């Protein structure tokens, strides 16, 4: 059995970022360090750096998320970045999308325990829920897949003129270059690399912003969305 490492005290930056929801952030960190490790959602070696590498690194994503929008966190896993974002931004309506049952069970427990009424947990893959979940303004993701594949899952979930915000590492620029052809087919009209978390995290968190035009996902996904919407209406009429 793997011995769980000890969770360090929350840094002062966490009080600044999470504000009135700092106690909930501490509880979430404790859950990750305990149940999260035991259920295989977080590696035990990550516990000593949960605050800096995970919670704070995800929370600063809030700097580039517009006010009052709908967000879908694709491949949410243990709730990163969705849960920290929800704690910082109660103005958002957030869906945590995750295909694995053991992870969605954990996410639902966290949401209920922390009283996150503006967060919904949905079990499924992005390509499976297309047309059954309401299109969102912003898709978020962290450590899910290379940008070309990630965009194929996340971009079709967006509303027209929405954006995908993906937390990435030092290879962000190279990923954009390598994914340019795929992004073009998905209706992407702009990409940029942002650095957030000044005074909170070091190094700064790197975010790839992918902006779409009036047809997120391109023609193929527009047709698929329309078919799914018609099927949904037919089911409701029965």
């Amino acid at each position: 059995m793997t011995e769980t490492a000890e969770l360090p005290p929350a840094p002062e930056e966490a009080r600044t970022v999470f504000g009135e929801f700092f106690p909930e952030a501490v509880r979430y960190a404790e859950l990750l360090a305990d149940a999260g490790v035991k259920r295989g959602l977080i590696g035990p070696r990550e516990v000593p750096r949960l605050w800096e590498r995970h919670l704070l690194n995800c929370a600063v994503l809030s700097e580039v998320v517009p006010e009052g929008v709908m967000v879908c966190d694709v491949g949410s896993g243990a709730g990163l970045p969705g849960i920290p974002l929800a704690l910082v931004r109660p103005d958002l309506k957030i869906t945590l999308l995750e295909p694995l049952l053991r992870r969605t069970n954990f996410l639902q427990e966290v949401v209920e325990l922390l009283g996150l009424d503006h967060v919904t947990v949905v079990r499924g893959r992005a390509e499976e829920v297309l047309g059954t979940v309401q299109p969102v303004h912003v898709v978020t993701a962290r450590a899910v897949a290379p940008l070309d594949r990630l965009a194929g899952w996340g971009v079709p979930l967006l509303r027209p003129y929405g954006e995908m915000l993906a937390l990435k590492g030092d290879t962000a620029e190279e990923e954009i270059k390598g994914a340019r052809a795929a992004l073009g087919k998905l209706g992407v009209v702009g990409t940029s690399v942002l650095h957030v978390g000044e005074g909170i995290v070091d190094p700064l968190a790197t975010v790839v912003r992918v902006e779409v035009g009036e047809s997120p996902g391109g023609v193929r996904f527009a047709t698929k969305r329309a078919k799914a919407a018609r099927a949904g209406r037919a089911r409701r009429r029965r």
Side-chain angles (χ1 to χ4, degrees), residues 19 29 37 47-48 62 87 131 139 143 156 185 191 201 210:
V37 172
V47 173
S62 66
L87 290 170
V139 164
K185 293 177 182 178
T191 57
V201 292
V210 174

Side-chain angles (χ1 to χ4, degrees), residues 128-142:
E128 295 170 346
V129 303
L130 186 65
T132 62
V133 298
Q134 190 173 352
V136 298
H137 302 85
V138 175
V139 164
T140 58
R142 178 178 187 254

Side-chain angles (χ1 to χ4, degrees), residues 68-168:
V69 299
M70 297 174 61
V71 177
C72 182
D73 188 32
V74 172
S76 196
L80 301 165
I83 297 292
L85 183 61
L87 290 170
V88 175
R89 296 287 300 278
D91 60 297
L92 303 174
K93 185 176 181 181
I94 299 177
T95 297
L96 306 179
L97 182 61
E98 169 56 47
L100 295 185
L101 179 60
R102 63 187 173 90
R103 293 176 180 172
T104 53
N105 285 342
F106 175 79
L107 292 172
Q108 192 60 52
E109 291 167 18
V110 171
V111 166
E112 293 174 3
L113 186 63
L114 302 185
L116 300 176
D117 297 334
H118 58 304
V119 178
T120 302
V121 178
V122 174
R123 184 185 175 197
R125 299 181 184 279
E127 57 270 33
E128 295 170 346
V129 303
L130 186 65
T132 62
V133 298
Q134 190 173 352
V136 298
H137 302 85
V138 175
V139 164
T140 58
R142 178 178 187 254
V144 174
L147 187 59
D148 54 351
R149 262 195 291 153
L150 176 59
W153 300 331
V155 166
L157 299 175
L158 290 169
R159 295 172 55 148
Y161 306 104
E163 60 185 6
M164 184 176 75
L165 300 171
L167 282 160
K168 288 288 185 179

